Amino acid sequence: MSDRRTEIVRAATRVIARRGVRGLRVGELAAEAGVSTALIYYHFTDRAGILRETLEFIGERADRYTAEPDHENAAKDPRAELEQALLLELQNSAEVRENSTAWGELRASAVFESGLREDLARATHTWVHEIAELLGRAHPAGTAPAHAASAERLTALLEGLSIRWLSGSLPLDHARRLLGEAVDAEMADCRAAHR
Amino acid sequence: MSDRRTEIVRAATRVIARRGVRGLRVGELAAEAGVSTALIYYHFTDRAGILRETLEFIGERADRYTAEPDHENAAKDPRAELEQALLLELQNSAEVRENSTAWGELRASAVFESGLREDLARATHTWVHEIAELLGRAHPAGTAPAHAASAERLTALLEGLSIRWLSGSLPLDHARRLLGEAVDAEMADCRAAHR
DNA sequence: GTCTATAGGACGATAGAC
DNA sequence: GTCTATCGTCCTATAGAC
């Protein structure tokens, strides 16, 4: 991918985080990227193509984001690594906000645009799988299917908490506490005997 | 509120569930309601006004929806009532799909339109409170703050599972199973001793 | 209150020069 | 590859008759 395409996709991510997928105007994207609208259409087929590649980029970046191991913790404490991997996405930094907002927009858009669903489902699956692996290392007593289910619950909960935070229904520190407690609950041994 | 206004707001809810908030066209709304576009503007100031009242309506309806007690279960088994109240929102019927989709749109829209946040936060709070009360009846051993936290986790998880279902990342029966297990986990006594 | 008709503007997309 | 200029369409909102 050329540098220009990458620049434009990154600019599109910023615009989406600011205005939403629905609010992205090709003109505003051009201004954000510092190019003309015509150049956008030289590099991408149409608005839907911009969206497709940008949302793909968001999905991939979210992967890398989660996948990057924090080696300090990795060796010492897999449980801390797990908790950190999840809480990483509930932070009031510009970068995390942008990421979370864009991801939420990707999710919400896919409800109405079936073309986005395949990529989204794949990115979701990759993410869930990574969390399940962390769970496996942090909690070797559990079975693989139990870890898979826990990972699905924890990531879905994180998405739910994240949008409540971003939509002003839940303070950030409260969301972080709720998520931390959920991690503890999923790792408690008594769960294994249940169901 | 006149009958016509109510009709139009109901029609707007259907269009939003079909096309999303950003996809709502006044023309399509007029057709859905069986009136002219001019009549829409006679009853509402502008497109934003339609959206505001419709999203307010969605929030209120969501309240009533959850609040309506199923008396058959209420008397017998508060735990079943709780589980049903939550699973009610994960069903493949036209009505539930419309409700969930519209609620998800309200949530997603509030990220970018601060004017919606207050209503949304209030509706969310009411819902969480109702679930917390059901938890209290189903699980008297727990404390009120623990029930409040559980209700926040369960409802946030439900929102996360719901949008994964609607966006094609999670089959409905799988979502229902994950939610059911989460309810069990929140009611397991071992949680109380934890943290 | 409700309609038909249309003004006026915003936006996606393209043409064509450099 | 990148620009300026513009076309055509779709959409919000209003004018004015009934």
Side-chain angles (χ1 to χ4, degrees):
Chain A
M1 181 143 78
S2 77
D3 284 356
R4 263 290 191 246
R5 284 176 76 91
T6 308
E7 273 174 43
I8 293 170
V9 164
R10 287 182 179 278
T13 304
R14 293 194 298 274
V15 176
I16 287 174
R18 199 163 58 231
R19 307 274 186 224
V21 165
R22 311 158 173 80
L24 181 137
R25 299 282 165 262
V26 180
E28 185 175 357
L29 168 56
E32 175 76 28
V35 299
S36 66
T37 66
L39 190 63
I40 307 279
Y41 286 99
Y42 173 79
H43 285 292
F44 302 87
T45 59
D46 57 8
R47 185 179 177 280
I50 302 166
L51 249 32
R52 198 175 41 75
E53 293 204 28
T54 304
L55 296 175
E56 195 176 333
F57 168 76
I58 291 167
E60 285 168 6
R61 193 175 65 170
D63 277 358
R64 262 179 279 128
Y65 201 65
T66 318
E68 266 171 23
D70 182 340
H71 288 296
E72 290 229 10
N73 286 325
K76 295 179 194 166
D77 185 355
R79 176 166 173 162
E81 198 192 359
L82 167 67
E83 197 150 337
Q84 207 189 43
L86 292 170
L87 288 176
L88 201 64
E89 321 232 0
L90 288 178
Q91 286 185 111
N92 202 7
S93 73
E95 189 191 356
V96 170
R97 265 191 105 95
E98 182 184 298
N99 244 353
S100 294
T101 306
W103 178 262
E105 277 293 291
L106 167 55
R107 178 72 73 194
S109 302
V111 175
F112 304 101
E113 286 169 68
S114 55
L116 297 172
R117 291 185 191 171
E118 199 181 332
D119 277 351
L120 179 66
R122 188 169 43 242
T124 303
H125 181 263
T126 303
W127 180 33
V128 169
H129 194 71
E130 284 161 1
I131 296 299
E133 287 210 335
L134 280 178
L135 269 164
R137 269 185 273 151
H139 187 238
T143 66
H147 290 146
S150 290
E152 283 180 306
R153 274 190 296 272
L154 287 174
T155 53
L157 173 63
L158 174 50
E159 285 187 2
L161 292 172
S162 179
I163 197 166
R164 282 198 185 180
W165 161 45
L166 294 170
S167 65
S169 288
L170 190 65
L172 181 58
D173 60 338
H174 196 159
R176 289 176 62 90
R177 185 161 6 103
L178 290 169
L179 183 61
E181 288 169 4
V183 171
D184 291 342
E186 291 290 351
M187 302 216 328
D189 281 328
C190 58
R191 278 197 54 72
H194 212 81
R195 286 218 168 177
Chain B
M1 181 144 77
S2 77
D3 284 356
R4 264 288 192 248
R5 285 176 76 90
T6 307
E7 274 174 40
I8 293 170
V9 165
R10 286 181 180 279
T13 304
R14 293 194 296 276
V15 176
I16 286 175
R18 199 162 59 229
R19 307 274 186 223
V21 167
R22 177 84 191 0
L24 181 139
R25 299 285 165 259
V26 180
E28 185 175 357
L29 168 57
E32 176 76 28
V35 298
S36 67
T37 67
L39 190 62
I40 307 279
Y41 286 98
Y42 173 79
H43 285 292
F44 302 86
T45 59
D46 57 6
R47 186 180 177 279
I50 303 166
L51 249 32
R52 198 175 41 75
E53 293 204 27
T54 304
L55 295 175
E56 195 177 334
F57 168 77
I58 290 168
E60 285 168 7
R61 191 177 65 170
D63 276 358
R64 265 178 279 129
Y65 199 66
T66 319
E68 267 170 22
D70 182 339
H71 289 294
E72 289 230 9
N73 286 323
K76 295 179 194 167
D77 185 356
R79 175 165 174 163
E81 200 193 357
L82 167 69
E83 196 150 336
Q84 207 189 41
L86 292 169
L87 287 176
L88 202 64
E89 321 234 358
L90 287 178
Q91 285 184 111
N92 202 8
S93 74
E95 189 192 355
V96 170
R97 265 192 103 97
E98 180 187 309
N99 245 351
S100 294
T101 306
W103 177 263
E105 277 293 289
L106 168 54
R107 177 73 72 195
S109 302
V111 175
F112 304 101
E113 285 169 69
S114 54
L116 297 173
R117 291 184 192 172
E118 199 181 332
D119 278 350
L120 180 64
R122 188 169 43 243
T124 304
H125 181 263
T126 303
W127 181 32
V128 169
H129 194 71
E130 284 160 0
I131 297 298
E133 288 210 333
L134 281 177
L135 269 164
R137 269 185 274 151
H139 186 238
T143 66
H147 291 146
S150 289
E152 283 181 305
R153 273 191 295 273
L154 287 174
T155 54
L157 174 63
L158 174 49
E159 285 188 2
L161 292 172
S162 178
I163 197 168
R164 282 199 187 180
W165 161 45
L166 295 169
S167 65
S169 289
L170 189 66
L172 181 59
D173 60 337
H174 196 161
R176 289 175 64 90
R177 185 162 3 105
L178 290 170
L179 183 61
E181 288 168 5
V183 171
D184 292 342
E186 292 289 350
M187 303 217 326
D189 280 329
C190 57
R191 278 197 54 74
H194 210 79
R195 283 216 169 177

